[in-house]
Amino acid sequence: RKSYCYVSVNDITERINSERKEIWQQERYRLISEIDDVVVFDYSPSDDVMTFSKNQVGSPPVEEIHPNYLESMENRTFYIHADDIESVRRNLLKACASPCSGTMEFMGRYFCDDYRWQRIRYVSVGDENGSVYRVVGCIEDVNEERMLRNQLQRRAQYDGTTGLMNKDTGNANIQKAMADIPADQMDAVLFVDLDNFKRVNDTMGHMEGDNVLHQVAECMRTLFRQDDILTRFGGDEFIVYMRNAQTEEAMVKKASTLIESINSITLKD
């Protein structure tokens, strides 16, 4: 007598994907409801759709859906500054390639009127085979933080009285410039030392001394090119690094003009 075993195989891929989508949708809204002043995003690599959501106090989250997000990335300058589009695109492609996490800062205006510094935090979610099916994360405004960081960095690199590079920053930039001089180019270094500056400080006070230093810096900024390196070396000493000085005569003329300009500075009575 024969025995039979009947097996039924059903393709449940669609049901699993649907259940997964529903579970994720509920989780996404839970996350959004717990966060204020942060834009939450959810990207689906399979259909190239990006969804942005922002919690609004006392009302449901505001949602924006962007189809063909990666495909039309170059046209998204309304949201992402043109200088940062390629960097955002690279990070999104990296997240889609394999499960990972990361952060980046860019100039954007998601849910704000003007370009501001914003920070993306993202994580890509993979299935059991390691294929990424979601990239999720948030965008937060870090404009004040970035401005403060830039301000502190500038204070560390520039002289507070003259606005010129300080000694350490100037030295580093000059060393780099000297290492990169093309074979057919002549650069030049001018050392500037103010005569009788101590007498100004001693007789007229440090405020007037600072005013003199500021005017010297203005003379240098007016006379030299933007890519020349202007440094307050310390006290009453300055260094100018001239890129592509061309000829010795041109150098001497620049130095003479600078001396004339500094000598024309008038002191208060």
Side-chain angles (χ1 to χ4, degrees), residues 7-248:
V7 178
S8 175
V9 179
N10 297 314
D11 187 345
I12 61 172
T13 303
E14 187 175 342
R15 177 166 64 83
I16 290 176
N17 287 339
S18 179
E19 289 175 354
R20 178 194 285 167
K21 184 176 181 180
E22 179 62 28
I23 291 171
W24 173 247
Q25 191 77 346
Q26 293 175 7
E27 178 66 9
R28 184 158 64 88
Y29 280 113
R30 184 190 69 78
L31 290 171
I32 295 169
S33 67
E34 295 176 354
I35 304 173
D36 289 333
D37 298 323
V38 172
V39 178
V40 176
F41 66 86
D42 173 11
Y43 177 69
S44 172
S46 61
D47 52 11
D48 195 19
V49 173
M50 178 72 85
T51 303
F52 294 99
S53 307
K54 185 175 183 182
N55 191 35
Q56 303 289 313
V57 179
S59 59
V62 175
E63 194 169 83
E64 290 184 3
I65 298 175
H66 298 250
N68 306 316
Y69 190 76
L70 261 177
E71 183 182 338
S72 58
M73 179 66 81
E74 67 277 3
N75 299 322
R76 301 200 174 275
T77 51
F78 180 82
Y79 297 95
I80 305 170
H81 194 279
D83 293 344
D84 294 321
I85 280 184
E86 183 55 31
S87 180
V88 172
R89 192 179 79 87
R90 281 199 309 269
N91 274 269
L92 185 53
L93 286 171
K94 175 187 173 184
C96 292
S98 60
C100 65
S101 62
T103 64
M104 71 160 293
E105 293 181 5
F106 70 106
M107 287 293 285
R109 53 180 182 184
Y110 284 106
F111 293 92
C112 59
D113 296 328
D114 301 313
Y115 287 118
R116 295 173 63 84
W117 281 107
Q118 299 185 320
R119 178 184 294 132
I120 296 176
R121 301 180 188 272
Y122 64 87
V123 58
S124 50
V125 184
D127 59 20
E128 58 276 8
N129 297 317
S131 299
V132 174
Y133 65 89
R134 273 293 191 274
V135 180
V136 297
C138 62
I139 302 173
E140 58 183 324
D141 188 298
V142 293
N143 203 66
E144 282 72 22
E145 176 188 327
R146 183 66 180 250
M147 293 298 103
L148 178 59
R149 192 194 315 161
N150 290 348
Q151 188 179 51
L152 293 174
Q153 185 178 33
R154 180 170 180 82
R155 286 179 184 174
Q157 296 178 342
Y158 289 82
D159 174 61
T161 302
T162 62
L164 303 180
M165 293 181 188
N166 61 26
K167 180 179 179 179
D168 290 340
T169 306
N171 270 339
N173 279 269
I174 290 170
Q175 292 293 332
K176 185 177 184 305
M178 291 176 68
D180 296 336
I181 301 175
D184 59 345
Q185 178 175 302
M186 181 177 68
D187 291 4
V189 179
L190 304 181
F191 294 88
V192 181
D193 187 358
L194 304 181
D195 292 336
N196 303 315
F197 180 72
K198 186 176 183 302
R199 188 188 303 169
V200 175
N201 273 336
D202 291 344
T203 60
M204 307 186 72
H206 287 281
M207 286 187 64
E208 183 59 20
D210 287 350
N211 179 51
V212 170
L213 294 174
H214 179 75
Q215 290 189 64
V216 170
E218 285 301 309
C219 292
M220 294 168 68
R221 271 189 283 264
T222 300
L223 182 59
F224 295 96
R225 296 163 300 186
Q226 202 165 22
D227 62 342
D228 291 332
I229 301 172
L230 311 179
T231 303
R232 183 184 177 192
F233 202 66
D236 58 359
E237 297 175 333
F238 298 81
I239 291 180
V240 179
Y241 184 91
M242 294 174 58
R243 300 180 193 267
N244 195 15
Q246 297 181 349
T247 65
E248 185 176 343

